[in-house]
């Protein structure tokens, strides 16, 4: 007898063909959504939230677009995740990874319709990905030893990364900023030390890099505006008048003079705390919480610069950069590690006053100040710059470099095609499909630029038939160009991550043969 019902009411299940169909369609839809943002001529998307304030984001960063979408389709969620991971791991290539996975699934769908088992397709894809990676490894250039060449490599990579973003018009300026900032890090991938401050006003060209650290605060009244050889205590402690801090405590007094006594005691307590803080031998005190007038006055009398309400991001970074620790008790000064820097002064950017710490303990520290027409422009500029910084800091560690502009995909496709010819059996169809999926990336780059993609990609293919060709798509002139002359480079690490993540994600979605959605939980009628 057949089992009538296995699941609760409202639970749905889809099996076999339908499940596979649903996951393919979802994944391809996501890939089509972001594919118009790929390449130097990619367009932006406006994302509008329905929450309070209806905030608007304008972006063409694949990860940002996908992160903001609420998606129901389970296969599409897998693609969103790989783009997130790509963003955390290497910073760039977030769109490429989704597009490549989508193309792999599009090819897989044709094969499944031709009655080839998903497992055969998967094993073909596996072999093809390995072959593609080896093809790239043979072609990488590594200029780690030659500092001059390596720096020009970094500049090229930064300019290639930025050319598909909002900063493409001033890409040389920003590439220089990013390379300088990353060179300061001396090989660490900790981007905490690079602080990005956004100040509306001016144009993007007015952005600059400043060594040291800038805190977005004003200096209090009657306090020294400039301190040399500063010793900084970074703290997170309450500096409002110490009231009786017991919830619901009441004090009954029988005369006004007693109230005055209580106030006097409170003031004494505060004065003692301030004395303890000054006893550390500091001349700058940065607190995360607010500082009342009375302690501020005491600090000013002692010639100590007191900064209140330094937001948490700022204070953590300040502690990191000056080499101090965040303190909250001040009874034993010897155990507290103070931060140091050569000079603290007040500077003006646009209309705002900020505090500038220069000559910090951690030499790597620097601040990039972005200027721009509006907050949306600034947000997008920050995202673009962050992508460039991530890629560069990864490249400093893994200094292998490839050409860009669809060149790596052509190299991989050529190698994979050759492998397909040598492979017997059904697997060869899957390997061939893989090479077709790789060709989709240069095709899309050309399509987005409004060029004749079929013509260009077939020209490219012919060019790549010769060994050691550096041909790629030059979208500016709309023809096949020499990537070595144009200086279009990409980091090997980014390409490798795109290739492997996309293959694994496609593989995972291919394995699905059933989708079960559980029934929503019902609220019991509490009558």
């Amino acid at each position: 007898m057949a089992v009538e019902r296995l699941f609760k009411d409202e639970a749905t299940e889809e099996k076999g063909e339908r499940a596979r169909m649903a996951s393919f369609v979802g994944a391809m839809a996501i890939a089509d959504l972001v594919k118009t943002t790929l390449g130097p001529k990619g367009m932006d998307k406006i994302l509008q939230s329905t929450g309070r304030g209806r905030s608007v984001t304008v972006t063409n960063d694949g990860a940002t677009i996908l992160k903001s979408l609420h998606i129901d389709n389970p296969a599409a969620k897998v693609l969103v995740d790989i783009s997130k991971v790509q963003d955390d791991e290497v910073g760039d290539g977030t769109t490429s990874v989704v597009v490549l996975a989508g193309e792999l699934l599009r090819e897989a769908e044709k094969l499944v319709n031709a009655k080839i088992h998903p497992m055969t397709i998967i094993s073909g894809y596996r072999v093809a990905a390995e072959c593609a990676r080896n093809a790239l490894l043979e072609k990488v250039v590594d200029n780690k030893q030659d500092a001059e060449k390596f720096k020009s490599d970094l500049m090229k990579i930064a300019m290639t990364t930025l050319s598909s973003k909002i900063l493409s018009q001033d890409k040389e300026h920003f590439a220089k900023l990013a390379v300088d900032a990353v060179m300061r890090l001396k090989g660490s991938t900790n981007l905490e030390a690079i602080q990005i401050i956004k100040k509306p006003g001016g144009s993007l060209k007015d952005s600059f890099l400043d060594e040291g650290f800038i805190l977005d605060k004003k200096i209090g009244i009657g306090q020294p505006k400039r301190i040399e050889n500063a010793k900084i205590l970074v703290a997170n402690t309450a500096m409002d008048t110490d009231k009786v801090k017991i919830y619901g405590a009441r004090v009954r007094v029988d005369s006004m003079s007693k109230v005055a006594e209580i106030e006097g005691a409170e003031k004494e307590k505060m004065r003692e705390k301030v004395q303890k803080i000054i006893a550390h031998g500091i001349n700058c005190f940065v607190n995360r919480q607010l500082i009342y007038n009375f302690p501020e006055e005491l600090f000013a009398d002692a010639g100590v610069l007191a900064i209140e309400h330094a937001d948490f991001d700022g204070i953590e970074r300040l502690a990191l950069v000056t080499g101090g620790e965040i303190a909250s008790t001040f009874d034993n000064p010897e155990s507290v590690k103070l931060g140091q820097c050569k000079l603290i002064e007040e500077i003006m950017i646009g209309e705002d006053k900020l505090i500038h710490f220069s000559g910090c303990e951690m030499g790597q520290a620097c601040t990039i100040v972005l200027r721009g027409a509006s907050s949306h422009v600034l947000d997008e500029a920050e995202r673009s710059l962050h992508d460039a910084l991530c890629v560069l800091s990864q490249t400093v560690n893994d200094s292998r470099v490839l050409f860009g502009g669809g060149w790596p995909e052509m190299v991989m496709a050529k190698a994979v095609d050759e492998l397909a010819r040598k492979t017997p059996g059904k697997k060869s169809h899957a390997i061939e499909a893989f090479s077709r999926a790789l060709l989709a990336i240069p095709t899309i780059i050309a399509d987005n630029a409004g060029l004749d993609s079929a013509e260009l990609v077939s020209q490219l293919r012919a060019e790549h038939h010769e060994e050691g060709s550096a041909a790629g798509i030059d979208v500016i002139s709309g023809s096949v160009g020499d990537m070595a002359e144009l200086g279009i480079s990409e980091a090997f690490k980014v390409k490798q991550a795109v290739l492997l993540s996309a293959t694994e994600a496609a593989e995972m979605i291919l394995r699905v043969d059933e989708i079960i959605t559980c029934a929503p939980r019902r609220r019991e009628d509490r009558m």
Side-chain angles (χ1 to χ4, degrees):
M1 97 182 192
V3 179
E4 283 296 312
R5 301 270 316 286
L6 183 62
F7 299 113
K8 273 186 169 176
D9 286 354
E10 290 194 26
T12 56
E13 64 167 332
E14 289 176 6
K15 283 194 169 151
E17 272 308 289
R18 290 199 47 192
R20 199 167 286 123
M21 216 31 241
S23 44
F24 282 162
V25 169
M28 288 189 288
I30 285 283
D32 288 344
L33 178 79
V34 291
K35 109 176 160 190
T36 52
T37 66
L38 193 68
K41 292 270 166 87
M43 305 305 268
D44 288 11
K45 308 262 183 251
I46 289 187
L47 309 168
Q48 185 176 20
S49 78
T50 47
R52 284 219 311 274
R54 300 239 162 196
S55 60
V56 172
T57 315
V58 184
T59 180
N60 75 355
D61 174 36
T64 312
I65 295 170
L66 294 179
K67 238 183 343 215
S68 321
L69 300 177
H70 291 287
I71 293 166
D72 201 22
N73 186 302
K77 285 205 172 98
V78 175
L79 293 195
V80 175
D81 277 352
I82 55 169
S83 90
K84 269 190 200 150
V85 170
Q86 180 79 8
D87 199 25
D88 300 340
E89 187 67 24
V90 281
D92 196 24
T94 48
T95 312
S96 317
V97 72
V98 176
V99 169
L100 184 56
E103 289 302 326
L104 286 171
L105 288 168
R106 191 170 308 221
E107 294 296 334
E109 185 188 17
K110 293 176 195 163
L111 295 176
V112 170
N113 289 343
K115 298 286 179 282
I116 294 177
H117 194 276
M119 282 304 155
T120 316
I121 302 174
I122 287 172
S123 64
Y125 276 5
R126 268 283 162 87
V127 182
E130 193 50 43
C131 163
R133 183 165 168 267
N134 293 338
L136 283 188
L137 276 172
E138 283 167 21
K139 304 262 182 172
V140 288
V141 185
D142 192 343
N143 289 331
K144 189 77 184 229
Q145 271 54 52
D146 184 346
E148 274 303 299
K149 267 192 180 159
F150 186 51
K151 192 160 185 199
S152 83
D153 272 354
L154 286 180
M155 278 297 287
K156 285 177 191 164
I157 288 175
M159 275 159 55
T160 308
T161 301
L162 292 173
S163 63
S164 62
K165 311 264 192 274
I166 192 170
L167 303 176
S168 59
Q169 302 311 312
D170 313 313
K171 64 183 174 193
E172 283 179 19
H173 178 66
F174 282 101
K176 200 165 173 339
L177 288 189
V179 173
D180 286 351
V182 170
M183 286 304 230
R184 279 217 143 100
L185 293 179
K186 302 187 181 62
S188 87
T189 50
N190 180 12
L191 294 178
E192 291 269 296
I194 301 174
Q195 182 199 17
I196 299 181
I197 283 187
K198 298 176 290 195
K199 284 277 162 218
S203 73
L204 282 170
K205 269 212 175 60
D206 301 337
S207 309
F208 60 92
L209 178 98
D210 204 323
E211 63 96 25
F213 181 87
I214 297 178
L215 194 63
D216 199 347
K217 287 280 163 254
K218 292 187 181 64
I219 291 182
I221 299 165
Q223 293 178 346
K225 295 273 185 227
R226 178 188 167 94
I227 294 182
E228 288 179 15
N229 295 334
K231 291 205 168 13
I232 306 163
L233 177 64
V234 185
N236 181 7
T237 179
M239 295 296 286
D240 36 7
T241 321
D242 270 336
K243 295 203 167 52
V244 183
K245 290 245 170 88
I246 303 164
Y247 183 65
R250 276 183 167 176
V251 184
R252 287 233 172 97
V253 287
D254 45 15
S255 71
M256 268 320 276
S257 58
K258 292 278 169 54
V259 177
E261 269 175 45
I262 292 174
E263 280 182 352
E266 277 177 1
K267 271 197 161 170
E268 266 318 297
K269 208 169 161 196
M270 198 69 239
R271 184 173 276 132
E272 267 175 38
K273 188 168 189 179
V274 173
Q275 237 77 57
K276 272 184 197 166
I277 291 173
I278 296 173
H280 287 63
I282 56 169
N283 47 16
C284 173
F285 175 70
V286 182
N287 190 16
R288 190 188 158 207
Q289 302 176 24
L290 91 179
I291 303 177
Y292 268 11
N293 302 6
F294 178 61
E296 193 168 40
E297 207 177 295
L298 295 178
F299 281 126
D301 290 347
V304 172
L305 166 61
I307 303 167
E308 60 174 3
H309 271 318
D311 52 343
F312 203 69
D313 222 17
I315 188 172
E316 291 236 311
R317 220 182 235 139
L318 182 63
L320 175 89
V321 166
T322 54
E325 283 170 3
I326 299 179
S328 42
T329 54
F330 311 102
D331 293 330
N332 35 357
E334 59 283 344
S335 68
V336 175
K337 200 166 164 226
L338 296 180
Q340 283 162 345
C341 78
K342 295 248 170 59
L343 174 68
I344 300 179
E345 58 185 342
E346 192 170 60
I347 55 170
M348 292 276 293
I349 298 178
E351 308 285 286
D352 300 344
K353 291 183 174 165
L354 303 118
I355 306 172
H356 182 224
F357 297 78
S358 55
C360 298
E361 183 88 353
M362 188 168 157
Q364 294 103 308
C366 59
T367 300
I368 296 177
V369 179
L370 290 178
R371 309 298 312 275
S374 73
S375 57
H376 301 142
V377 175
L378 286 174
D379 287 345
E380 176 63 354
E382 182 189 21
R383 276 190 291 273
S384 315
L385 200 59
H386 182 260
D387 277 8
L389 291 173
C390 285
V391 176
L392 290 176
S393 67
Q394 295 288 349
T395 313
V396 171
N397 282 350
D398 180 348
S399 56
R400 292 173 290 184
V401 176
L402 299 159
F403 294 123
W407 178 87
E409 283 79 13
M410 296 306 292
V411 170
M412 294 191 280
K414 184 182 166 200
V416 172
D417 245 354
E418 279 164 15
L419 175 71
R421 294 203 193 109
K422 294 177 203 155
T423 312
K426 282 186 180 175
K427 212 193 269 186
S428 64
H429 291 297
I431 299 176
E432 209 176 323
F434 194 91
S435 95
R436 281 201 300 275
L438 284 169
L439 289 182
I441 289 194
T443 311
I444 290 168
I445 292 178
D447 279 341
N448 286 347
L451 306 171
D452 181 352
S453 56
E455 171 73 14
L456 276 177
V457 173
S458 50
Q459 275 182 5
L460 259 187
R461 210 198 240 135
E463 289 269 336
H464 272 269
H465 216 71
E466 294 157 25
E467 276 306 304
S469 153
I473 291 181
D474 175 7
V475 284
I476 309 302
S477 72
S479 60
V480 172
D482 186 338
M483 295 292 122
E485 280 170 27
L486 294 169
I488 297 177
S489 302
E490 293 189 48
F492 168 71
K493 198 161 181 188
V494 175
K495 278 291 160 212
Q496 176 180 308
V498 166
L499 180 70
L500 301 180
S501 314
T503 315
E504 282 174 13
E507 195 175 304
M508 192 169 163
I509 294 170
L510 262 174
R511 283 172 182 268
V512 173
D513 78 329
E514 183 164 1
I515 300 174
I516 301 170
T517 319
C518 67
R521 280 177 59 188
R522 284 276 170 81
R523 287 215 175 132
E524 293 91 19
D525 292 335
R526 296 199 181 89
M527 293 304 285

